[in-house]
Amino acid sequence: MSNAILQEDLREKIMTDPEFILEDKDVMRALVAANEKALGGNIVDLRGIAMDRLEARLDRLEDTHRSVIAAAYENLAGTNQVHRAVLKLLDPTDFEAFLQELGTGIAEILRVDAVRLVLESVQKGEDPVVKKLGHILTVAEPGFVDTYLKAGRQSEPRPVTLRQYRPADDEIYGTGSEYIRSEAALKLDFGNGRLPGLLLLGSEDPHMFKSDQGTDLLAFFAGTFERAMARWLS
C-alpha cells in the first residue's frame, strides 16, 4: 500500500472518528509537540499551554476519582465487617459463650489481634467467672474507664477513641500487651444506676486505628454491644 493511500485511509479514519485521536494522550502530546516545533521557539502557543493545563487537570481528576472509589470501597467493606460482627453477637445463648466469642469470632471478623472487655464494679474479691475468662474480661474499680481513656489528658473522654497506643503494662491485654500498637476504645453505657464499661480492640498494626479516622461504624457496634450485654447484666 502506497503512503498516499495509507495517509488517505488515516485521514478518513480521523475525520469519521476524531475521538480516536482525542482520547489517546500519547498521540495528542506528539501532535502538540510537533505543532510547537513548527511554530518555532520564539512563539508562544497558547493552545499548547491550554492543552498542558487541561491534561494536568484531567490527571488530577482521575486521581481524585480513584481516591473516591477506593474510599467508598473501604467504607463498604468496613460496614460489612461490622454487620457480620453484630450478627455474631446474637448467636451465643449464655454469658460465657458470649464473652468467648469476643476473643474468637468477633476478633477474626474485625481483623484485630485482641479484644478485651472491662467492667467497673464496687464488689471486692475475684469472681470464678472472671477468673475463668480473664483473657477476655477484666473487672476494675469505679473511675477506671475514664482514667484509661483520658490517658493523662484533661479533656472529657469520647464514646469512641482511636489511637496509636502501646500499653504501659499487661493489666488489660495480658502477655500480649507488648505487641499492641494501636487500639479502638469503645466506652459502654449500660444505663442508669450501672457503672460504665469499656470494649477494647487492640491491633499489632500501629496504623490500624488512628485519631483521624471515622468512628461512626464503631459507635454503631458499641451501641449494639451495649444492648446485647443488657440481657446478661439483668
Side-chain angles (χ1 to χ4, degrees):
M1 181 180 294
S2 67
N3 288 337
I5 296 176
L6 179 61
Q7 292 173 3
E8 184 62 30
D9 288 344
L10 181 58
R11 181 177 184 279
E12 183 178 352
K13 172 64 176 176
I14 295 173
M15 295 296 292
T16 56
D17 186 15
E19 291 186 1
F20 169 74
I21 295 295
L22 294 175
E23 292 181 355
D24 192 314
K25 291 183 181 181
D26 293 333
V27 172
M28 288 300 297
R29 190 178 292 109
L31 290 174
V32 171
N35 184 54
E36 291 176 347
K37 183 177 181 181
L39 290 173
N42 295 325
I43 299 177
V44 177
D45 183 8
L46 296 180
R47 290 174 302 174
I49 295 174
M51 181 68 71
D52 289 340
R53 290 179 177 176
L54 286 174
E55 184 175 311
R57 183 179 180 186
L58 177 60
D59 288 339
R60 290 195 298 270
L61 288 174
E62 289 180 344
D63 290 341
T64 301
H65 178 70
R66 283 192 290 267
S67 298
V68 170
I69 294 298
Y73 178 80
E74 183 177 349
N75 186 62
L76 179 60
T79 301
N80 289 337
Q81 277 182 294
V82 170
H83 286 174
R84 289 170 54 208
V86 166
L87 292 176
K88 201 72 173 176
L89 286 176
L90 304 178
D91 288 341
T93 56
D94 61 75
F95 186 56
E96 183 176 334
F98 176 77
L99 293 184
Q100 293 284 10
E101 196 65 66
L102 288 178
T104 54
I106 301 298
E108 181 179 349
I109 291 173
L110 297 180
R111 298 178 183 176
V112 294
D113 300 296
V115 178
R116 297 292 185 271
L117 174 63
V118 180
L119 299 178
E120 290 187 0
S121 176
V122 295
Q123 296 180 357
K124 303 294 183 180
E126 190 170 7
D127 188 287
V129 175
V130 176
K131 184 176 181 179
K132 183 177 182 180
L133 299 172
H135 60 294
I136 297 294
L137 177 62
T138 298
V139 175
E141 295 181 352
F144 174 86
V145 170
D146 283 351
T147 300
Y148 184 87
L149 291 175
K150 289 181 180 180
R153 296 187 298 271
Q154 297 301 317
S155 59
E156 285 298 312
R158 297 183 294 262
V160 178
T161 299
L162 306 181
R163 58 190 179 187
Q164 293 174 306
Y165 177 75
R166 186 170 184 174
D169 52 49
D170 58 0
E171 180 180 8
I172 301 298
Y173 291 102
T175 56
S177 61
E178 61 179 307
Y179 303 107
I180 300 300
R181 293 295 179 270
S182 67
E183 72 173 3
L186 318 181
K187 187 176 181 179
L188 305 174
D189 182 358
F190 299 123
N192 293 333
R194 295 186 182 276
L195 292 171
L198 188 64
L199 184 64
L200 298 172
L201 311 176
S203 174
E204 296 179 5
D205 181 359
H207 303 292
M208 180 73 173
F209 300 111
K210 295 187 293 184
S211 59
D212 60 349
Q213 295 171 332
T215 60
D216 290 349
L217 288 175
L218 288 176
F220 170 75
F221 181 74
T224 305
F225 186 85
E226 290 169 348
R227 289 160 177 77
M229 276 289 293
R231 56 177 171 169
W232 308 118
L233 295 178
S234 61

